[in-house]
Amino acid sequence: EDQVTQSPEALRLQEGESSSLNCSYTVSGLRGLFWYRQDPGKGPEFLFTLYSAGEEKEKERLKATLTKKESFLHITAPKPEDSATYLCAVRDSYGQNFVFGPGTRLSVLP
Amino acid sequence: EAGVAQSPRYKIIEKRQSVAFWCNPISGHATLYWYQQILGQGPKLLIQFQNNGVVDDSQLPKDRFSAERLKGVDSTLKIQPAKLEDSAVYLCASSSQGSTEAFFGQGTRLTVV
């Protein structure tokens, strides 16, 4: 059974203080690892898809990386508007649905 | 391009009542998902459609939940009768044929009292 865990559960940063969020996964044949951002009261917003170990994707202050067992979402010089819950999900070769982790709640203080 | 549309945004019902949620996916997206997200948790798949056929409903509590996607476009998720533990946000998502990414609607927040 596919499993996804995320750490930390919550993270508070000062504006400009870079950090990383972790997503650890167990999956039978990774078909994709996905990062989503979710603001309060809204649906998840797609950020990145990673397909194979060693792959990296960047978008503004965010950079996602992937190894065979985990993915990191690096946030460089975050701003208060980066405050949100960041969700990680995986899709395996057999199933077609997305298995989500519990998310990391990020707060960036001005 | 319009996103995934869901209605209503909020619903409050008493336990044992019934409720229905509606979803209109992104135009042309063959795959439609319904997820349940309990406060503080990640979304959990309830049912997945490919066009108007069910691909995966293994986690749908079939004694009280039902879903349909007539004509392979819009979808409706129903709960009857509702329980207190059904209080959650119900998210609809869609993806296009051959694509790995899914795009989500705003969700419907259900409160059962």
Side-chain angles (χ1 to χ4, degrees):
Chain A
E1 183 180 323
D2 300 343
Q3 289 191 329
V4 179
T5 58
Q6 292 186 246
S7 62
E9 184 176 320
L11 180 63
R12 297 182 76 178
L13 299 174
Q14 289 295 133
E15 185 172 1
E17 180 186 0
S18 302
S19 188
S20 296
L21 313 183
N22 175 267
C23 169
S24 296
Y25 63 91
T26 305
V27 66
S28 302
L30 182 69
R31 190 178 168 198
L33 184 139
F34 307 83
W35 282 99
Y36 284 84
R37 168 190 171 131
Q38 187 172 27
D39 292 298
K42 296 193 174 182
E45 175 190 342
F46 172 74
L47 293 174
F48 303 110
T49 307
L50 301 167
Y51 294 101
S52 56
E55 189 175 359
E56 298 183 352
K57 293 267 180 81
E58 284 189 70
K59 180 180 179 180
E60 296 180 355
R61 295 177 292 282
L62 300 177
K63 178 180 176 180
T65 62
L66 181 65
T67 73
K68 288 188 177 180
K69 293 186 178 180
E70 55 191 353
S71 176
F72 293 93
L73 185 65
H74 307 277
I75 304 176
T76 302
K79 297 181 177 181
E81 53 261 43
D82 295 322
S83 297
T85 295
Y86 290 85
L87 295 165
C88 171
V90 297
R91 204 172 187 188
D92 65 29
S93 305
Y94 308 102
Q96 297 187 52
N97 79 72
F98 298 79
V99 176
F100 281 84
T104 292
R105 276 193 325 279
L106 174 67
S107 300
V108 182
L109 306 176
Chain B
E1 180 183 76
V4 177
Q6 290 189 246
S7 67
R9 285 297 315 277
Y10 306 94
K11 191 74 177 179
I12 300 175
I13 61 171
E14 295 182 351
K15 60 184 179 183
R16 292 187 290 274
Q17 285 188 324
S18 63
V19 64
F21 313 127
W22 174 82
C23 172
N24 186 12
I26 293 172
S27 178
H29 280 196
T31 307
L32 185 147
Y33 310 83
W34 281 103
Y35 283 84
Q36 180 192 58
Q37 187 174 25
I38 293 171
L39 189 64
Q41 299 181 18
K44 185 188 83 171
L45 181 74
L46 292 174
I47 189 167
Q48 178 186 346
F49 292 95
Q50 181 76 15
N51 296 308
N52 60 351
V54 175
V55 173
D56 183 354
D57 64 356
S58 58
Q59 298 186 80
L60 187 74
K62 297 180 185 64
D63 57 334
R64 298 184 301 106
F65 286 65
S66 64
E68 60 182 13
R69 191 184 184 195
L70 300 175
K71 301 180 182 178
V73 182
D74 294 8
S75 178
T76 303
L77 177 69
K78 296 180 181 177
I79 307 175
Q80 182 180 12
K83 293 184 175 181
L84 296 177
E85 58 261 36
D86 298 331
S87 294
V89 175
Y90 291 84
L91 294 163
C92 179
S94 69
S95 64
S96 59
Q97 190 85 20
S99 170
T100 52
E101 294 91 13
F103 297 91
F104 285 80
Q106 298 269 46
T108 296
R109 180 176 298 277
L110 173 67
T111 303
V112 183
V113 298

